[in-house]
Every structure is written in structure tokens, then in C-alpha cells.
Amino acid sequence: TALCPQNPSHVRCDWQDARVVVIWNSEADDDRYQISYGEKNHGSSEWCTLPDLQMNRCSLPIINGTFYEIKIKTKNSFGTSLWASVVSG
């Protein structure tokens, strides 16, 4: 049976100097991934959305000392998952 992909699971971030490496578990029904991220400013974010990725990891440029929210969803030929999100702290 055809299924839309599940939400990304076990999303984790490795916060480094001026970048963050985001890694998540891939599932059998995932073809590609979409990542959006933005600076957290008083309850609102301006989002940057990357082109679809084929791998389950991504390195993002960041500004040290700034709070970010990162959202990931999976896609396949049958649809798109809900967003899974991580917030820096």
C-alpha cells in the first residue's frame, strides 16, 4: 500500500562555531527532505527554506549567540509529512 512519509524522527543538532549540523533518522518511505530555519525574534521567525535534500543531514550557517528554530519534513511520491521542529537554546 502507498503511504505518505512519516514525520522525521530523532532530530538532533550539533551546534558549532557559525554553523549547526542537523541530523535525523531516515525511514524506508522517505525520498527527500525539506528544511526551513529562522532566527527566533520575539515570537516570530523569518524563514529560509532550502531546496529539497536527498540526505538525512544538513549543515546550516548561523550567527553565534542567536536563537533559531529548525523545521524538517519528509516527502515522497505520495505526499509530505508534517513538520518536525527543533529550537536552539
Side-chain angles (χ1 to χ4, degrees):
T1 61
L3 297 173
C4 289
Q6 298 177 17
N7 291 9
S9 63
H10 297 85
V11 179
R12 48 216 179 273
C13 295
D14 180 12
W15 298 94
Q16 302 173 6
D17 186 31
R19 73 180 186 144
V20 58
V21 177
V22 186
I23 304 167
W24 56 94
N25 289 0
S26 58
E27 303 293 335
D29 58 357
D30 299 348
D31 290 338
R32 58 199 183 284
Y33 308 95
Q34 182 178 8
I35 295 183
S36 292
Y37 73 108
E39 227 176 280
K40 292 290 286 180
N41 292 322
H42 309 294
S44 65
S45 292
E46 292 185 26
W47 295 100
C48 175
T49 300
L50 303 180
D52 287 355
L53 304 169
Q54 300 292 322
M55 298 174 27
N56 65 325
R57 69 181 293 135
C58 181
S59 179
L60 304 172
I62 60 169
I63 299 170
N64 292 340
T66 303
F67 290 92
Y68 288 88
E69 182 174 3
I70 301 168
K71 301 189 301 186
I72 306 166
K73 62 182 171 182
T74 56
K75 297 179 174 184
N76 68 19
S77 58
F78 301 104
T80 303
S81 75
L82 299 175
W83 288 107
S85 68
V86 177
V87 179
S88 70

